[in-house]
Amino acid sequence: MFFSDERAQFFKPLTGKYREQVVECLRLLHERLYSAQADYGESLKRDQVLDVFSEALERAPLLDGDEDNTRFRNNREQAGWILNLLVEHGWLKRDKDDASFQSTYPFSRTGRLFTQTLAEVDGRSVRTRHRNTRNTLNALAAFVDRGEVYDLLDAHEHSERIIADFTDIIAELEERKRELVKEVEAQQLVQQASDQFFDFMEKRFQPDVAIRMSADSVEKHRDRIRTTIEQIKRKPKTWKANAENELRRLAPDLIVSQDASVLFQLLDSIDTRMRNASEIMLPALRRTLQGFTRRADIIIRQLSYLHSQKHNDIVGVCKALTELDEETYNARLQQAGDTLASLHLGLIDPAQVRLREQRSQRVVHSRMVELDEPDAATLRDLATQQLLEKAFNINGGALRDYLRDALGASRRIDNRDLPINNARDLLALSHVIELGSADHGAAGFRLRITETDPITDEHYFVRRDGFLLELEHDDPSTLTTTSATRPE
């Protein structure tokens, strides 16, 4: 259980009016311990943690509109209260040195994971999210070359992040669109809204989304990843067996059943994620981006129009003139007349205005060609072709019934002993090897095929391969009719 022991009230520090200050303290401590500014030589003692928290309290506001600071005399006293609160509810740990009797305060594992999420939401860290598609391809290629299952597990992890990255960027675009609309509703200046929009497009869109849709597009690498997966599936049986055993040893949580292959499960999962990212998430990202740019264009045009019309308030000008005295009023009008004196107004000569003759529309006559009914020879050829196709069609159900009749009460038979009583039996004999495919096995009909000596000098075949057919499992209730096949 998650909410047990010291984690019974794990999220309690993030409630109440001090929640923003607690979050800022966690972010700054995480930056002090795990960022480029971290000092990995020693853990932070109590005084050092209090200094970090005091600095964070200077930045973070007090929420709920309550500015009552009578509870704490200064920031250091509040920092000590926050430290005890985080230790009590499982965000931090208190490790005591038996030699020096001094305590250090590192993050707990759960506290570090949640604080890392808070730091990423703050947007201070830099992540190359568009690289996960290429990382998946590189890890699969490394698995093909070296055969280390850690590379396959890395590829599976990177492929899982591809969908999450698409979801993150789509949510960020929607959030940016809402912020832009909110700024317009708050009657912000057009320059400020425009600067923020273009700043986002240059610093966020261009380095990430543009690369995602071009150099690191999932459509670009999808075929190469699929080719690499097929290359892994065509590896020798010994190579795949070693990889399967190693995966079962290192990742026992991935084992669904003893019969299911963990190797093929991971490969199919990567292929499915790439298909979903290419066919579902990438079009969704394009639609969201088009909606965002279209909304931003409309809003910025609207703001530009309002900004350009702020000096054209004729009603306001007339109202201001009515409030002036006669002398000032005449002076203003005289000044406006002097300004407009340089304008010249020209009228169009009516003699130059002529109506153009209307051009007659061109009439296009179209005729529908009526097709004659096909002649008797054509109908006969079509009927013959349909009969031939039906004669050489055989489905999976007919194959299974043919083998069941040949087996009778036994479970094993050689294909040289399969009976041929009519043309249907001959077609079934030529396709009986298909019953050993994975499709029939997944549907409940599993057949083990063992190769024997070739068969020659038969009445119907000059030469064909010999096989020993052994029925391992037959569950007719789960079978479905497979598609028909036609021998060439």
Side-chain angles (χ1 to χ4, degrees), residues 59-86:
R59 306 178 182 178
L62 185 65
L63 300 181
D64 295 340
D66 192 350
E67 298 296 338
D68 184 13
N69 295 327
T70 57
R71 180 175 180 179
F72 306 106
R73 291 174 296 180
N74 51 46
N75 288 338
R76 193 168 184 85
E77 182 178 349
Q78 185 179 358
W81 175 78
I82 293 176
L83 176 59
N84 295 333
L85 186 68
L86 294 175

Side-chain angles (χ1 to χ4, degrees), residues 148-410:
E148 296 182 1
V149 296
Y150 289 106
D151 295 325
L152 179 60
L153 295 176
D154 290 341
H156 187 265
E157 181 179 358
H158 289 306
S159 66
E160 184 178 5
R161 295 176 183 173
I162 295 175
I163 305 296
D165 291 342
F166 274 108
T167 306
D168 290 343
I169 191 61
I170 290 175
E172 185 174 357
L173 287 173
E174 293 291 345
E175 183 179 356
R176 291 286 179 175
K177 183 169 65 176
R178 289 192 297 268
E179 291 178 357
L180 195 58
V181 174
K182 187 184 300 183
E183 289 177 0
V184 175
E185 293 176 352
Q187 296 181 356
Q188 295 286 340
L189 297 178
V190 60
Q191 188 64 34
Q192 180 179 352
S194 302
D195 291 344
Q196 184 174 3
F197 170 73
F198 288 112
D199 182 70
F200 168 74
M201 295 296 287
E202 292 176 1
K203 295 182 179 180
R204 182 68 181 86
F205 170 78
Q206 186 173 358
D208 190 357
V209 182
I211 296 178
R212 188 188 300 278
M213 292 185 175
S214 57
D216 284 323
S217 172
V218 292
E219 293 179 343
K220 176 181 179 181
H221 296 295
R222 177 184 175 184
D223 293 337
R224 297 178 60 188
I225 290 176
R226 181 179 299 174
T227 302
T228 307
I229 290 176
E230 294 298 329
Q231 186 177 357
I232 295 174
K233 292 182 177 180
R234 291 195 300 269
K235 285 285 188 178
K237 293 183 179 180
T238 305
W239 190 92
K240 290 186 288 187
N242 294 334
E244 178 72 22
N245 295 332
E246 193 69 13
L247 283 172
R248 290 176 176 269
R249 184 181 66 85
L250 295 175
D253 296 337
L254 298 177
I255 301 176
V256 179
S257 65
Q258 296 299 326
D259 297 334
S261 172
V262 179
L263 174 63
F264 280 74
Q265 175 186 342
L266 293 178
L267 295 177
D268 294 339
S269 177
I270 294 173
D271 186 45
T272 302
R273 290 169 179 172
M274 293 302 302
R275 183 171 62 254
N276 292 337
S278 178
E279 298 177 358
I280 300 176
M281 299 306 298
L282 189 58
L285 175 60
R286 290 195 178 106
R287 289 193 300 269
T288 305
L289 181 60
Q290 291 174 358
F292 171 73
T293 53
R294 184 166 54 250
R295 177 63 63 87
D297 180 68
I298 293 173
I299 291 175
I300 291 178
R301 286 177 183 271
Q302 179 183 0
L303 290 175
S304 300
Y305 175 77
L306 295 176
H307 181 70
S308 63
Q309 296 294 322
K310 67 179 182 179
H311 299 295
N312 297 336
D313 190 4
I314 303 299
V315 178
V317 172
C318 295
K319 183 178 180 181
L321 290 175
T322 57
E323 297 176 354
L324 300 176
D325 57 277
E326 188 69 20
E327 183 179 356
T328 308
Y329 175 76
N330 293 330
R332 291 282 183 88
L333 291 180
Q334 183 64 35
Q335 184 180 1
D338 296 339
T339 304
L340 297 174
S342 59
L343 296 179
H344 299 279
L345 180 62
L347 300 178
I348 300 176
D349 185 4
Q352 301 295 329
V353 180
R354 297 180 180 179
L355 294 177
R356 296 183 179 180
E357 297 180 359
Q358 185 178 3
R359 300 177 60 182
S360 59
Q361 297 182 354
R362 183 178 180 182
V363 180
V364 178
H365 298 281
S366 59
R367 296 180 179 178
M368 299 296 295
V369 179
E370 297 182 0
L371 299 178
D372 297 333
E373 294 184 0
D375 54 9
T378 303
L379 292 176
R380 185 170 55 254
D381 293 341
L382 292 176
T384 304
Q385 183 178 357
Q386 292 179 359
L387 291 175
L388 288 175
E389 291 178 353
K390 292 180 180 180
F392 289 97
N393 280 344
I394 185 169
N395 55 39
L399 284 177
R400 292 189 292 268
D401 293 339
Y402 170 73
L403 185 60
R404 290 192 188 103
D405 295 339
L407 287 172
S410 63

Side-chain angles (χ1 to χ4, degrees), residues 10-200:
F10 183 75
F11 295 104
K12 186 176 181 180
L14 304 184
T15 60
K17 65 179 181 181
Y18 300 105
R19 57 186 180 274
E20 186 65 31
Q21 295 177 333
V22 173
V23 169
E24 188 63 28
C25 290
L26 288 171
R27 286 173 178 168
L28 194 59
L29 182 61
H30 185 274
E31 181 180 351
R32 177 67 174 80
L33 291 176
Y34 301 108
S35 68
Q37 304 175 3
D39 184 6
Y40 300 99
E42 58 179 356
S43 300
L44 297 183
K45 299 180 177 61
R46 179 180 178 84
D47 291 340
Q48 294 173 317
V49 175
L50 294 180
D51 291 338
V52 174
F53 284 3
S54 299
E55 180 183 351
L57 292 175
E58 293 292 338
R59 306 178 182 178
L62 185 65
L63 300 181
D64 295 340
D66 192 350
E67 298 296 338
D68 184 13
N69 295 327
T70 57
R71 180 175 180 179
F72 306 106
R73 291 174 296 180
N74 51 46
N75 288 338
R76 193 168 184 85
E77 182 178 349
Q78 185 179 358
W81 175 78
I82 293 176
L83 176 59
N84 295 333
L85 186 68
L86 294 175
V87 173
E88 179 183 357
H89 294 93
W91 288 82
L92 301 179
K93 297 187 300 182
R94 181 186 287 111
D95 293 341
K96 187 175 182 181
D97 189 356
D98 296 334
S100 61
F101 297 100
Q102 291 184 350
S103 299
T104 57
Y105 294 86
F107 274 102
S108 64
R109 180 179 178 273
T110 308
R112 180 179 59 82
L113 293 176
F114 279 96
T115 306
Q116 182 179 356
T117 303
L118 294 174
E120 292 178 355
V121 170
D122 191 41
R124 299 178 185 177
S125 60
V126 179
R127 294 177 56 195
T128 55
R129 293 182 291 187
H130 56 270
R131 293 283 302 181
N132 284 322
T133 305
R134 187 177 298 182
N135 291 339
T136 302
L137 176 60
N138 294 338
L140 284 175
F143 178 61
V144 173
D145 295 338
R146 298 193 296 263
E148 296 182 1
V149 296
Y150 289 106
D151 295 325
L152 179 60
L153 295 176
D154 290 341
H156 187 265
E157 181 179 358
H158 289 306
S159 66
E160 184 178 5
R161 295 176 183 173
I162 295 175
I163 305 296
D165 291 342
F166 274 108
T167 306
D168 290 343
I169 191 61
I170 290 175
E172 185 174 357
L173 287 173
E174 293 291 345
E175 183 179 356
R176 291 286 179 175
K177 183 169 65 176
R178 289 192 297 268
E179 291 178 357
L180 195 58
V181 174
K182 187 184 300 183
E183 289 177 0
V184 175
E185 293 176 352
Q187 296 181 356
Q188 295 286 340
L189 297 178
V190 60
Q191 188 64 34
Q192 180 179 352
S194 302
D195 291 344
Q196 184 174 3
F197 170 73
F198 288 112
D199 182 70
F200 168 74

